[in-house]
Amino acid sequence: MRLLVTGGAGFIGANFVHACVREHPEDAVTVVDSLTYAGSLESLRPIENEIRLIRGDIADAELVTRLVAESDAVVHFAAETHVDNALADPAPFLHSNVVGTYTLLEAVRRHDVRLHHVSTDEVYGDLGLGGTERFTETTPYHPSSPYSATKAAADMLVRAWVRSYRVRATISNCSNNFGPYQHVEKFIPRQITNILTGRRPKLYGTGANVRDWIHVEDHNAAVRTILTDGRIGRTYLIGADCQRSNLEVLQAILAVMDRDPGDFDHVTDRAGHDLRYAIDPSLLRSELGWAPSHSDFTAALSETVQWYRTHRHWWEPLKDGVEATYAGRGQ
Ligand code: NAD
Ligand code: DAU
């Protein structure tokens, strides 16, 4: 398959491209990525001779149309992804997530190319703390942040292009990912690298907010399954039944890294902070037979800590800048 991967120099996209090279050597993979602050050539360095990398913006219609015309399928990861950044400046989120997705949709429409659009559970808003309900494919959209509003807009564009123009697209909405190559601005890598650089971990508010964690390899295995076997026009929810409060995750990191359980700071809470996300992945499991393979959260967290210990060259150049930005926000 000639695969075009947007955002393939980011966290999930890079892991997806690594998996393609490892498990599908018959694929011809092209990555298009504008290499924002979140994109890293270093994430693709081990496989740079196995893929083609084009530095470019997915909102560049001429470039995207040319790349799509040469492809059998597009897997669309490219986006601005960090909620705290969206709260500070939403403009790049409108550009990449909305205009970028629109540009891609027009290109796949013109050339009748299969598209898989990677989205987030944050489009559904949040659930009450302590409840047992979970998001399903029919939960109404109710985004809370500028980030999730732009992802919801992109999902709606995909649905409209499927209905109006018969574009051959699927959508997946996944919960919180962790694993190698995740930017140090995000919760788990931030706390691990805080400890590795002698800083104290930082917990927003009380730490009661709940996220539903999934290893990035399990997310990407699901994306691959949907790309090959998913039903056109369908939305699939991806999650691994791993709800944890932020405090629980932080205490697990502290335990894995042999630190005292109270060795962290409470900092200013995020504005409009979503309380709880939880995914019901039944459709994906029953219709496509997908199941996560990283089912032991503590073991997967421990492997992730080990990855950050052994890849300091990958994250160290980013760390001081990220912490300076957080400090400016009281976080
Ligand atoms: P990331 O921020 O690590 O990487 C995003 C990549 O997209 C970067 O390489 C960046 O350079 C690139 N990019 C941004 N704007 C671009 C543009 N206009 N043109 C070309 N490239 C551009 O993000 P991630 O965590 O890997 O997330 C990937 C996708 O998965 C996103 O669509 C995100 O909404 C979705 N998602 C993420 C999670 C998660 O927990 N991280 C969960 C569910 C869904
Ligand atoms: O649910 C999927 C989403 O998960 C993706 O769509 C987003 O792209 C991805 O960034 C992630 O969003 P979150 O906002 O849930 O992830 P983040 O890593 O920013 O924060 C996770 C939780 O931890 C959240 O409740 C805020 C909290 N937090 C975060 C940071 C950075 C802290 O308590 N301290 C921190 O230092």
mmCIF file of all heavy atoms in Angstrom, residues 7 9-13 33-36 38-39 56-58 77-79 81 96 118-120 147 151 174-177, ligand 1:
data_model
loop_
_atom_site.group_PDB
_atom_site.id
_atom_site.type_symbol
_atom_site.label_atom_id
_atom_site.label_comp_id
_atom_site.label_asym_id
_atom_site.label_seq_id
_atom_site.Cartn_x
_atom_site.Cartn_y
_atom_site.Cartn_z
ATOM 1 N N GLY A 7 1.409 14.185 9.906
ATOM 2 C CA GLY A 7 1.821 14.275 11.314
ATOM 3 C C GLY A 7 2.671 13.091 11.754
ATOM 4 O O GLY A 7 2.731 12.770 12.948
ATOM 5 N N ALA A 9 5.763 12.852 12.159
ATOM 6 C CA ALA A 9 6.920 13.162 13.005
ATOM 7 C C ALA A 9 6.487 13.487 14.436
ATOM 8 O O ALA A 9 7.307 13.843 15.280
ATOM 9 C CB ALA A 9 7.714 14.333 12.417
ATOM 10 N N GLY A 10 5.191 13.377 14.702
ATOM 11 C CA GLY A 10 4.687 13.587 16.064
ATOM 12 C C GLY A 10 4.682 12.280 16.841
ATOM 13 O O GLY A 10 5.113 11.236 16.342
ATOM 14 N N PHE A 11 4.151 12.331 18.033
ATOM 15 C CA PHE A 11 4.184 11.176 18.953
ATOM 16 C C PHE A 11 3.498 9.934 18.368
ATOM 17 O O PHE A 11 4.134 8.896 18.106
ATOM 18 C CB PHE A 11 3.534 11.615 20.273
ATOM 19 C CG PHE A 11 3.090 10.526 21.196
ATOM 20 C CD1 PHE A 11 3.911 9.443 21.503
ATOM 21 C CD2 PHE A 11 1.827 10.598 21.806
ATOM 22 C CE1 PHE A 11 3.482 8.448 22.383
ATOM 23 C CE2 PHE A 11 1.399 9.616 22.680
ATOM 24 C CZ PHE A 11 2.220 8.526 22.960
ATOM 25 N N ILE A 12 2.205 10.006 18.116
ATOM 26 C CA ILE A 12 1.468 8.805 17.690
ATOM 27 C C ILE A 12 1.821 8.464 16.243
ATOM 28 O O ILE A 12 2.017 7.289 15.904
ATOM 29 C CB ILE A 12 -0.051 8.997 17.870
ATOM 30 C CG1 ILE A 12 -0.361 9.405 19.321
ATOM 31 C CG2 ILE A 12 -0.802 7.714 17.520
ATOM 32 C CD1 ILE A 12 -1.811 9.742 19.587
ATOM 33 N N GLY A 13 1.927 9.516 15.403
ATOM 34 C CA GLY A 13 2.261 9.287 13.996
ATOM 35 C C GLY A 13 3.613 8.596 13.837
ATOM 36 O O GLY A 13 3.754 7.666 13.036
ATOM 37 N N ASP A 33 4.727 16.382 7.213
ATOM 38 C CA ASP A 33 4.701 16.982 8.554
ATOM 39 C C ASP A 33 5.358 18.357 8.459
ATOM 40 O O ASP A 33 6.417 18.495 7.838
ATOM 41 C CB ASP A 33 5.455 16.074 9.549
ATOM 42 C CG ASP A 33 5.154 16.452 10.993
ATOM 43 O OD1 ASP A 33 5.436 17.603 11.370
ATOM 44 O OD2 ASP A 33 4.645 15.595 11.749
ATOM 45 N N SER A 34 4.737 19.365 9.077
ATOM 46 C CA SER A 34 5.307 20.714 8.996
ATOM 47 C C SER A 34 6.382 20.941 10.052
ATOM 48 O O SER A 34 6.967 22.021 10.118
ATOM 49 C CB SER A 34 4.198 21.769 9.115
ATOM 50 O OG SER A 34 3.518 21.610 10.335
ATOM 51 N N LEU A 35 6.625 19.924 10.881
ATOM 52 C CA LEU A 35 7.650 20.001 11.942
ATOM 53 C C LEU A 35 7.441 21.238 12.802
ATOM 54 O O LEU A 35 8.307 22.118 12.895
ATOM 55 C CB LEU A 35 9.063 19.951 11.346
ATOM 56 C CG LEU A 35 9.382 18.662 10.575
ATOM 57 C CD1 LEU A 35 10.795 18.726 9.970
ATOM 58 C CD2 LEU A 35 9.288 17.437 11.478
ATOM 59 N N THR A 36 6.270 21.317 13.408
ATOM 60 C CA THR A 36 6.030 22.334 14.423
ATOM 61 C C THR A 36 6.923 21.987 15.624
ATOM 62 O O THR A 36 7.668 20.991 15.590
ATOM 63 C CB THR A 36 4.557 22.306 14.893
ATOM 64 O OG1 THR A 36 4.337 21.071 15.609
ATOM 65 C CG2 THR A 36 3.589 22.411 13.732
ATOM 66 N N ALA A 38 6.180 20.367 17.968
ATOM 67 C CA ALA A 38 5.836 19.014 18.438
ATOM 68 C C ALA A 38 6.375 17.921 17.522
ATOM 69 O O ALA A 38 6.356 16.744 17.893
ATOM 70 C CB ALA A 38 4.319 18.876 18.554
ATOM 71 N N GLY A 39 6.835 18.295 16.345
ATOM 72 C CA GLY A 39 7.359 17.298 15.411
ATOM 73 C C GLY A 39 8.853 17.137 15.592
ATOM 74 O O GLY A 39 9.551 18.104 15.889
ATOM 75 N N GLY A 56 6.061 19.817 5.137
ATOM 76 C CA GLY A 56 5.037 20.657 4.523
ATOM 77 C C GLY A 56 3.801 20.731 5.388
ATOM 78 O O GLY A 56 3.593 19.930 6.298
ATOM 79 N N ASP A 57 2.969 21.720 5.050
ATOM 80 C CA ASP A 57 1.770 22.034 5.826
ATOM 81 C C ASP A 57 0.561 21.345 5.179
ATOM 82 O O ASP A 57 0.370 21.465 3.960
ATOM 83 C CB ASP A 57 1.604 23.565 5.797
ATOM 84 C CG ASP A 57 0.491 24.065 6.694
ATOM 85 O OD1 ASP A 57 -0.430 23.292 7.020
ATOM 86 O OD2 ASP A 57 0.546 25.253 7.055
ATOM 87 N N ILE A 58 -0.248 20.675 5.964
ATOM 88 C CA ILE A 58 -1.428 20.006 5.389
ATOM 89 C C ILE A 58 -2.482 21.006 4.904
ATOM 90 O O ILE A 58 -3.422 20.610 4.215
ATOM 91 C CB ILE A 58 -2.089 18.994 6.362
ATOM 92 C CG1 ILE A 58 -2.404 19.648 7.707
ATOM 93 C CG2 ILE A 58 -1.223 17.748 6.513
ATOM 94 C CD1 ILE A 58 -3.457 18.920 8.497
ATOM 95 N N PHE A 77 -2.946 12.042 11.125
ATOM 96 C CA PHE A 77 -2.642 12.335 12.530
ATOM 97 C C PHE A 77 -2.367 13.823 12.765
ATOM 98 O O PHE A 77 -2.453 14.279 13.906
ATOM 99 C CB PHE A 77 -1.365 11.586 12.974
ATOM 100 C CG PHE A 77 -1.480 10.090 13.036
ATOM 101 C CD1 PHE A 77 -1.004 9.303 11.994
ATOM 102 C CD2 PHE A 77 -2.030 9.451 14.138
ATOM 103 C CE1 PHE A 77 -1.074 7.913 12.049
ATOM 104 C CE2 PHE A 77 -2.112 8.071 14.211
ATOM 105 C CZ PHE A 77 -1.634 7.295 13.164
ATOM 106 N N ALA A 78 -1.943 14.561 11.730
ATOM 107 C CA ALA A 78 -1.431 15.924 11.943
ATOM 108 C C ALA A 78 -2.457 16.802 12.635
ATOM 109 O O ALA A 78 -3.618 16.874 12.215
ATOM 110 C CB ALA A 78 -1.038 16.547 10.605
ATOM 111 N N ALA A 79 -2.025 17.463 13.692
ATOM 112 C CA ALA A 79 -2.911 18.374 14.432
ATOM 113 C C ALA A 79 -2.084 19.125 15.461
ATOM 114 O O ALA A 79 -0.987 18.703 15.819
ATOM 115 C CB ALA A 79 -4.011 17.574 15.152
ATOM 116 N N THR A 81 -2.196 19.649 19.318
ATOM 117 C CA THR A 81 -2.799 18.649 20.204
ATOM 118 C C THR A 81 -2.830 18.998 21.693
ATOM 119 O O THR A 81 -3.412 18.235 22.469
ATOM 120 C CB THR A 81 -2.038 17.306 20.077
ATOM 121 O OG1 THR A 81 -0.683 17.515 20.493
ATOM 122 C CG2 THR A 81 -2.083 16.775 18.663
ATOM 123 N N SER A 96 -4.452 24.176 11.679
ATOM 124 C CA SER A 96 -4.061 22.782 11.400
ATOM 125 C C SER A 96 -5.248 21.830 11.473
ATOM 126 O O SER A 96 -5.416 20.966 10.615
ATOM 127 C CB SER A 96 -2.985 22.319 12.399
ATOM 128 O OG SER A 96 -1.790 23.037 12.176
ATOM 129 N N VAL A 118 -7.824 10.510 12.403
ATOM 130 C CA VAL A 118 -7.540 10.165 13.799
ATOM 131 C C VAL A 118 -8.052 11.285 14.705
ATOM 132 O O VAL A 118 -7.605 12.426 14.603
ATOM 133 C CB VAL A 118 -6.021 9.979 14.003
ATOM 134 C CG1 VAL A 118 -5.707 9.681 15.464
ATOM 135 C CG2 VAL A 118 -5.495 8.873 13.093
ATOM 136 N N SER A 119 -8.994 10.957 15.574
ATOM 137 C CA SER A 119 -9.536 11.979 16.460
ATOM 138 C C SER A 119 -9.494 11.522 17.918
ATOM 139 O O SER A 119 -8.846 10.520 18.253
ATOM 140 C CB SER A 119 -10.941 12.380 16.015
ATOM 141 O OG SER A 119 -11.357 13.527 16.721
ATOM 142 N N THR A 120 -10.171 12.279 18.742
ATOM 143 C CA THR A 120 -9.995 12.165 20.191
ATOM 144 C C THR A 120 -11.332 11.991 20.909
ATOM 145 O O THR A 120 -12.370 12.467 20.426
ATOM 146 C CB THR A 120 -9.301 13.445 20.715
ATOM 147 O OG1 THR A 120 -9.345 13.451 22.142
ATOM 148 C CG2 THR A 120 -10.007 14.714 20.227
ATOM 149 N N TYR A 147 -9.106 23.248 21.801
ATOM 150 C CA TYR A 147 -8.556 22.069 21.114
ATOM 151 C C TYR A 147 -9.682 21.119 20.709
ATOM 152 O O TYR A 147 -9.814 20.745 19.537
ATOM 153 C CB TYR A 147 -7.543 21.349 22.019
ATOM 154 C CG TYR A 147 -7.268 19.914 21.585
ATOM 155 C CD1 TYR A 147 -6.616 19.645 20.385
ATOM 156 C CD2 TYR A 147 -7.677 18.824 22.368
ATOM 157 C CE1 TYR A 147 -6.372 18.327 19.976
ATOM 158 C CE2 TYR A 147 -7.442 17.522 21.973
ATOM 159 C CZ TYR A 147 -6.787 17.274 20.776
ATOM 160 O OH TYR A 147 -6.560 15.981 20.370
ATOM 161 N N LYS A 151 -11.140 19.759 16.981
ATOM 162 C CA LYS A 151 -11.171 18.335 16.584
ATOM 163 C C LYS A 151 -12.619 17.928 16.255
ATOM 164 O O LYS A 151 -12.855 17.171 15.313
ATOM 165 C CB LYS A 151 -10.596 17.447 17.694
ATOM 166 C CG LYS A 151 -9.102 17.603 17.936
ATOM 167 C CD LYS A 151 -8.226 17.199 16.761
ATOM 168 C CE LYS A 151 -8.247 15.714 16.475
ATOM 169 N NZ LYS A 151 -7.255 15.338 15.424
ATOM 170 N N CYS A 174 -9.959 8.264 20.124
ATOM 171 C CA CYS A 174 -9.197 7.487 21.106
ATOM 172 C C CYS A 174 -9.003 8.269 22.406
ATOM 173 O O CYS A 174 -9.071 9.499 22.432
ATOM 174 C CB CYS A 174 -7.832 7.116 20.510
ATOM 175 S SG CYS A 174 -6.879 5.981 21.542
ATOM 176 N N SER A 175 -8.739 7.523 23.461
ATOM 177 C CA SER A 175 -8.470 8.121 24.772
ATOM 178 C C SER A 175 -6.985 8.477 24.896
ATOM 179 O O SER A 175 -6.235 8.415 23.921
ATOM 180 C CB SER A 175 -8.890 7.139 25.860
ATOM 181 O OG SER A 175 -8.154 5.942 25.712
ATOM 182 N N ASN A 176 -6.547 8.814 26.118
ATOM 183 C CA ASN A 176 -5.173 9.319 26.343
ATOM 184 C C ASN A 176 -4.103 8.269 26.083
ATOM 185 O O ASN A 176 -4.112 7.208 26.696
ATOM 186 C CB ASN A 176 -5.021 9.789 27.802
ATOM 187 C CG ASN A 176 -5.698 11.100 28.051
ATOM 188 O OD1 ASN A 176 -6.922 11.202 27.951
ATOM 189 N ND2 ASN A 176 -4.915 12.121 28.361
ATOM 190 N N ASN A 177 -3.153 8.617 25.211
ATOM 191 C CA ASN A 177 -2.044 7.717 24.860
ATOM 192 C C ASN A 177 -0.810 7.990 25.722
ATOM 193 O O ASN A 177 -0.581 9.124 26.149
ATOM 194 C CB ASN A 177 -1.608 7.972 23.414
ATOM 195 C CG ASN A 177 -2.552 7.407 22.374
ATOM 196 O OD1 ASN A 177 -2.119 6.854 21.379
ATOM 197 N ND2 ASN A 177 -3.855 7.540 22.571
HETATM 198 P P1 NAD B 1 1.726 15.570 18.461
HETATM 199 O O1 NAD B 1 1.432 16.954 18.892
HETATM 200 O O2 NAD B 1 2.749 14.770 19.179
HETATM 201 O O3 NAD B 1 2.122 15.551 16.898
HETATM 202 C C1 NAD B 1 1.397 16.277 15.942
HETATM 203 C C2 NAD B 1 2.222 16.293 14.664
HETATM 204 O O4 NAD B 1 1.468 17.013 13.656
HETATM 205 C C3 NAD B 1 3.571 17.027 14.801
HETATM 206 O O5 NAD B 1 4.599 16.264 14.205
HETATM 207 C C4 NAD B 1 3.355 18.336 14.071
HETATM 208 O O6 NAD B 1 4.548 18.856 13.506
HETATM 209 C C5 NAD B 1 2.345 17.929 13.006
HETATM 210 N N1 NAD B 1 1.529 19.043 12.502
HETATM 211 C C6 NAD B 1 0.812 19.950 13.228
HETATM 212 N N2 NAD B 1 0.212 20.823 12.406
HETATM 213 C C7 NAD B 1 0.556 20.471 11.126
HETATM 214 C C8 NAD B 1 0.250 20.994 9.845
HETATM 215 N N3 NAD B 1 -0.533 22.074 9.687
HETATM 216 N N4 NAD B 1 0.772 20.370 8.760
HETATM 217 C C9 NAD B 1 1.575 19.276 8.888
HETATM 218 N N5 NAD B 1 1.901 18.755 10.086
HETATM 219 C C10 NAD B 1 1.396 19.341 11.193
HETATM 220 O O7 NAD B 1 0.308 14.820 18.472
HETATM 221 P P2 NAD B 1 -0.081 13.309 18.877
HETATM 222 O O8 NAD B 1 -0.255 13.232 20.347
HETATM 223 O O9 NAD B 1 0.827 12.388 18.174
HETATM 224 O O10 NAD B 1 -1.549 13.235 18.229
HETATM 225 C C11 NAD B 1 -1.721 12.790 16.879
HETATM 226 C C12 NAD B 1 -3.206 12.780 16.546
HETATM 227 O O11 NAD B 1 -3.890 11.904 17.449
HETATM 228 C C13 NAD B 1 -3.895 14.142 16.687
HETATM 229 O O12 NAD B 1 -4.813 14.279 15.638
HETATM 230 C C14 NAD B 1 -4.600 14.060 18.037
HETATM 231 O O13 NAD B 1 -5.750 14.882 18.058
HETATM 232 C C15 NAD B 1 -4.968 12.601 18.075
HETATM 233 N N6 NAD B 1 -5.099 12.008 19.420
HETATM 234 C C16 NAD B 1 -4.105 12.133 20.342
HETATM 235 C C17 NAD B 1 -4.227 11.497 21.579
HETATM 236 C C18 NAD B 1 -3.141 11.583 22.631
HETATM 237 O O14 NAD B 1 -3.345 11.105 23.757
HETATM 238 N N7 NAD B 1 -1.971 12.142 22.343
HETATM 239 C C19 NAD B 1 -5.384 10.759 21.867
HETATM 240 C C20 NAD B 1 -6.398 10.665 20.890
HETATM 241 C C21 NAD B 1 -6.230 11.284 19.662
#
